[in-house]
Amino acid sequence: MALVGAGVVITFVAYFITRYPGWAMAITIVLIAALSGGLFLRHRAIQARRLQFLAANAALEKVDLMTGPQFEQLVAEHMIAQGFRRVRIRGGAGDGGVDITAVAPDGTRCAVQCKRYNKSVGAPAVRNFLGALANAFTGHTGVLITSGRLTRPAREEATNARQRLLLVDRDLLADWLTGRLALLAKPAPLVEGDEPAT
């Protein structure tokens, strides 16, 4: 039945194009314009929702109430808003120790681990992330983003790493979420932020 219906439609369209080529061209132009306009409006609506979501969740007090997957979503949305491309959330079982992959505006490939912690992030967490980078994400710049504080041994682990690792802890996270800090906007030191007490 569907094939018969499709055949009738194709026959009618072919007849219409042959009989009224001017009208067919005009209708095609109108349909293309409508489709383009619809896609543009959809893109603008998605951008507006993203900005609204980011503004509503920019405060650390909101981040502290999030689950791990919600925090990953916030980080991914913020990366998109900052011009990162091919942002993919990988978090969950079997993510290989990397929650998000993305390409920075300058073309740098990034592998991001998100830790929505109330506690400190220690050296073992940094070491595990570096292992994930070395095993499955060679050539990526590692970015560890946490709502907690990084211990001194965690920072030393990152400083001594062979692979570039950008650390964004609680203080830098606040700056990033409010737009005062851009990831990979310029060559960044291996470790950023004030030294926390251990």
Side-chain angles (χ1 to χ4, degrees), residues 95-126:
D95 65 9
V98 170
D99 299 313
I100 299 169
T101 55
V103 177
D106 67 358
T108 303
R109 292 183 303 156
C110 299
V112 183
Q113 187 175 76
C114 303
K115 294 213 170 284
R116 216 295 300 148
Y117 281 7
N118 290 324
K119 58 183 181 178
S120 294
V121 178
V126 173

Side-chain angles (χ1 to χ4, degrees), residues 155-169:
R155 290 178 180 279
E156 289 170 358
E157 192 76 35
T159 301
N160 297 327
R162 292 181 184 165
Q163 193 160 354
R164 183 175 182 212
L165 180 58
L166 176 65
L167 301 177
V168 179
D169 71 350

Side-chain angles (χ1 to χ4, degrees), residues 20-30:
Y20 307 103
W23 279 104
M25 181 64 75
I27 291 170
T28 301
I29 290 170
V30 168

Side-chain angles (χ1 to χ4, degrees), residues 50-132:
R50 177 174 293 121
L51 293 175
Q52 188 177 31
F53 171 75
L54 292 174
N57 292 289
L60 290 177
E61 295 78 22
K62 294 271 191 172
V63 172
D64 290 339
L65 300 174
M66 291 181 173
T67 63
Q70 289 171 333
F71 183 53
E72 291 169 11
Q73 184 68 40
L74 176 65
V75 169
E77 292 289 344
H78 203 72
M79 291 178 81
I80 292 168
Q82 284 199 336
F84 283 74
R85 303 179 318 275
R86 295 198 305 254
V87 177
R88 291 198 173 85
I89 298 176
R90 305 168 37 92
D95 65 9
V98 170
D99 299 313
I100 299 169
T101 55
V103 177
D106 67 358
T108 303
R109 292 183 303 156
C110 299
V112 183
Q113 187 175 76
C114 303
K115 294 213 170 284
R116 216 295 300 148
Y117 281 7
N118 290 324
K119 58 183 181 178
S120 294
V121 178
V126 173
R127 201 173 304 120
N128 290 341
F129 184 40
L130 288 168

